[in-house]
Amino acid sequence: MLEAIDAPVRLLATWWFYEPSTRVLFTSDSFGHVHHASADASICVTAAEDSTTHEDVRAHLLAKFDWVALADTALIQEQLRAIFERWPIEVLAPTYGRPIVGADAVRRHYNLMQDVLAELGSERLEEEHR
């Protein structure tokens, strides 16, 4: 049974879905920041082969969701935190980009996303106070 989740990071009305028996979170356009580095790269990314950087996540987030640069990201961060605390997630399955497989890899990408959102929120606040 899939559980529908109101997506915290989105362009239009979008839902994420969580499938509890496989612990897969289908994230639509979010978490699509991992691309094939080469033709022989595996379909999925795991912690052992993950070279994703903070800059990769930031670039994808701002390219796909440009409004985030102007947003109060605290609410988005809290919504993400609630999702990741509620369900055990072992696979992030974006519509585009490589699936992120394994609890360690999922946690790393969640933390990268949270770090980028915090950074963007801080930058927005600094800009407002100038």
Side-chain angles (χ1 to χ4, degrees), residues 4-80:
I5 303 164
D6 191 18
V9 181
R10 63 178 178 256
L11 290 175
L12 304 171
T14 301
W15 295 92
W16 289 0
F17 293 94
Y18 178 71
E19 203 294 303
S21 67
T22 57
R23 298 181 173 185
V24 176
L25 181 62
F26 296 91
T27 59
S28 185
D29 292 335
S30 299
F31 292 95
H33 49 256
V34 183
H35 299 283
H36 293 282
S38 66
D40 62 340
S42 69
I43 293 172
C44 302
V45 66
T46 63
E49 63 175 25
D50 190 9
S51 61
T52 307
T53 66
H54 177 92
E55 292 74 25
D56 295 333
V57 176
R58 181 184 170 103
H60 176 266
L61 192 62
L62 290 174
K64 189 69 181 175
F65 308 102
D66 60 344
W67 58 266
V68 172
L70 304 172
D72 177 355
T73 59
L75 178 59
I76 300 168
Q77 288 183 269
E78 182 52 41
Q79 290 171 328
L80 276 177

Side-chain angles (χ1 to χ4, degrees), residues 47-119:
E49 63 175 25
D50 190 9
S51 61
T52 307
T53 66
H54 177 92
E55 292 74 25
D56 295 333
V57 176
R58 181 184 170 103
H60 176 266
L61 192 62
L62 290 174
K64 189 69 181 175
F65 308 102
D66 60 344
W67 58 266
V68 172
L70 304 172
D72 177 355
T73 59
L75 178 59
I76 300 168
Q77 288 183 269
E78 182 52 41
Q79 290 171 328
L80 276 177
R81 189 174 7 268
I83 291 167
F84 280 78
E85 287 177 359
R86 179 174 178 184
W87 290 289
I89 301 166
E90 294 185 16
V91 178
L92 293 172
T95 304
Y96 298 99
R98 294 167 68 192
I100 300 163
V101 178
D104 291 340
V106 167
R107 177 58 54 185
R108 181 172 183 274
H109 285 263
Y110 163 77
N111 288 332
L112 284 167
M113 180 72 81
Q114 286 286 28
D115 291 347
V116 168
L117 289 168
E119 178 181 78

